[in-house]
Amino acid sequence: MILTSVLTTGALTLTACGSRDDSGDKGGDSGSGTTLTIGVDAPLSGENSTTGLGIQYGAQIAIDDANKNNWVPGVKFKLKALDDKAQPATGQSNATSIVGDKTAVGAVGPLNSGVAQTMQQVFASANMVQISPANTNPELTQGKNWQTDKKRPYKTYFRTATTDELQGSFAAGYAYNGLKKKKAFVVDDKQTYGAGLAKIFAEQFKKFGGKVVATDHVNTGDKDFGSLATKIKNSGADLVYYGGQYDESALITKQLKDAGAKIPLFGGDGMFASTYIEAAGKSSEGDLATAIGVPADTLPAAKTFIQTYKDKGYKGDYGAYGAYAYDATTAIIKAVKAAADANGGKVPTDINDLRSKVVDGVQKSDFEGLTGKISFDQYGDTTNKQLTVYQVEKGAWKDVETGTADLK
């Protein structure tokens, strides 16, 4: 990897291999002033790219709005999108590239909690803010012993997504009380996100009164789930809960139905993508997934965002995390403005000083975003705890339940 620094408009910009430089709409201060970069890290190709691209373009629309409407006078924002391919090592390398850019003031992403674990220390060492619109593993904000002794590992890490503690419990409560399911077969993909979510669902489902008849694990990238389908069919389960992404779950539900087990597959937000339905076809009918927040298309503030996304023909799926990426990016931009306002209307010229002030500014966030109120608690977690259950009906995800988790 070759890093090249170029002097432009009094600021350094970074060019790195594996990056996507989307300038977006021209607007705001285009002729002079300061150029600041916001990094985005997500899987932009390969597995999970449908939702990863939704993150990239959600952030891009926020940057375009900031430039067009001159949110921070004298500043033009630029997006640097990096593809982590859902690989932790690549995410860590991308984080190093972002902090090495002396115009970078913050980062949005990643999608995968396992990738985030390799990035957090890099951003913390540079005192640069990182806001994920998608990570849900509780350890990222509350530490390894979050169930008994919550301690925030990194003050630079935030998220606009709620945690799996709430998502797993919300799913368990709906499975038991809403679907009236009593016997669950729980499967996970051994990854940080999937295994953690499946564990929480199993614990909470049993507390609600359900029975976990068996558990099993798969590997990401697997294609043949015939033996797993047979196990599930013979277990007597009336529901399969899967912790993982849509790539494997689409194949699992198809092979499960082909084996004659006519029971629904229920998963988390990693499964909530149009690609899941496209890949599984008719076998996905009746399957369910939880997702953070409320449906984007029901939020008045998100209507313009959704229309812009469609009009520009952006790839990927905005439905899962696009609006949350927009709000995460906006939080960084508003923190830059707060730093400028406190400095006589001028952005601090020392990048380390600016990064530090942006971290502080994000912690103090308090504004109405596309997805609702944007603010963070003492752990860096969003204060927005709403979740939604979606079910596949006639080839499309339909919201069937919205609320907050009932922790047992």
Side-chain angles (χ1 to χ4, degrees):
M1 180 177 290
I2 299 175
L3 303 182
T4 305
S5 295
V6 183
L7 189 62
T8 60
T9 62
L12 291 174
T13 59
L14 183 73
T15 300
C17 61
S19 68
R20 300 186 181 190
D21 182 3
D22 294 295
S23 57
D25 291 340
K26 302 298 182 182
D29 179 64
S30 58
S32 61
T34 302
T35 297
L36 296 178
T37 300
I38 295 177
V40 169
D41 175 88
L44 308 180
S45 64
E47 290 189 3
N48 312 153
S49 60
T50 295
T51 43
L53 289 167
I55 291 173
Q56 175 187 353
Y57 293 119
Q60 183 65 62
I61 294 172
I63 285 178
D64 290 345
D65 284 351
N67 291 334
K68 180 179 179 180
N69 298 305
N70 204 27
W71 286 358
V72 185
V75 174
K76 177 184 177 183
F77 291 95
K78 178 182 177 183
L79 183 77
K80 181 68 69 174
L82 302 172
D83 183 5
D84 64 31
K85 298 178 172 63
Q87 298 298 320
T90 306
Q92 185 177 49
S93 177
N94 290 346
T96 300
S97 294
I98 294 170
V99 301
D101 182 344
K102 297 306 179 183
T103 69
V105 292
V108 175
L111 168 68
N112 307 86
S113 292
V115 175
Q117 288 179 323
T118 68
M119 301 177 76
Q120 287 180 302
Q121 180 61 57
V122 178
F123 288 116
S125 296
N127 202 19
M128 181 188 288
V129 72
Q130 173 190 11
I131 310 178
S132 173
N135 296 159
T136 53
N137 187 279
E139 290 185 17
L140 296 172
T141 49
Q142 300 170 25
K144 290 186 179 296
N145 300 318
W146 63 270
Q147 289 178 303
T148 56
D149 184 22
K150 294 181 180 181
K151 290 183 180 179
R152 186 176 186 177
Y154 303 102
K155 72 171 186 176
T156 53
Y157 178 86
F158 300 81
R159 54 178 154 203
T160 51
T162 194
T163 72
D164 287 333
E165 178 183 21
L166 301 180
Q167 183 173 201
S169 182
F170 189 60
Y174 186 78
Y176 187 80
N177 295 316
L179 298 176
K180 307 299 182 184
K181 302 298 184 181
K182 308 302 180 187
K183 298 179 180 179
F185 193 113
V186 179
V187 184
D188 70 71
D189 64 359
K190 304 179 187 176
Q191 301 300 303
T192 301
Y193 161 74
L197 181 59
K199 179 182 178 182
I200 293 167
F201 173 87
E203 292 173 348
Q204 294 295 315
F205 188 67
K206 287 185 284 188
K207 288 181 179 180
F208 276 107
K211 179 180 180 181
V212 176
V213 296
T215 61
D216 209 337
H217 314 278
V218 300
N219 298 306
T220 57
D222 283 355
K223 306 294 183 185
D224 185 356
F225 301 103
S227 61
L228 174 63
T230 300
K231 288 181 184 178
I232 296 171
K233 181 182 178 181
N234 295 336
S235 70
D238 53 12
L239 175 78
V240 179
Y241 188 81
Y242 181 71
Q245 306 291 337
Y246 58 78
D247 304 272
E248 289 74 34
S249 58
L251 295 175
I252 291 173
T253 198
K254 191 174 189 306
Q255 293 175 35
L256 182 65
K257 307 299 171 48
D258 288 345
K262 307 301 182 183
I263 60 175
L265 188 147
F266 198 167
D269 55 324
M271 207 176 93
F272 179 58
S274 57
T275 306
Y276 174 81
I277 301 174
E278 293 165 5
K282 292 182 179 180
S283 298
S284 65
E285 196 70 16
D287 288 351
L288 305 104
T290 48
I292 58 176
V294 301
D297 55 10
T298 67
L299 297 166
K303 291 187 182 301
T304 300
F305 165 79
I306 294 171
Q307 193 60 50
T308 299
Y309 198 105
K310 293 178 178 179
D311 289 347
K312 286 184 173 293
Y314 284 147
K315 297 179 181 179
D317 188 350
Y318 67 81
Y321 309 113
Y324 290 89
Y326 183 102
D327 284 344
T329 307
T330 301
I332 295 173
I333 294 170
K334 283 182 174 291
V336 171
K337 186 178 189 307
D341 289 346
N343 191 46
K346 296 182 180 180
V347 173
T349 56
D350 182 271
I351 191 62
N352 294 321
D353 180 40
L354 178 56
R355 288 175 176 178
S356 178
K357 285 180 167 57
V358 170
V359 172
D360 294 340
V362 168
Q363 183 65 67
K364 297 174 183 176
S365 294
D366 186 6
F367 65 94
E368 287 298 321
L370 301 187
T371 60
K373 183 179 179 180
I374 305 302
S375 60
F376 304 97
D377 65 16
Q378 68 268 36
Y379 303 105
D381 283 325
T382 178
T383 57
N384 184 349
K385 308 299 185 184
Q386 289 186 301
L387 291 149
T388 299
V389 175
Y390 294 84
Q391 187 165 29
V392 180
E393 295 181 10
K394 297 179 181 179
W397 289 112
K398 302 293 184 183
D399 53 291
V400 294
E401 180 84 5
T402 296
T404 55
D406 177 16
L407 294 174
K408 289 288 184 178

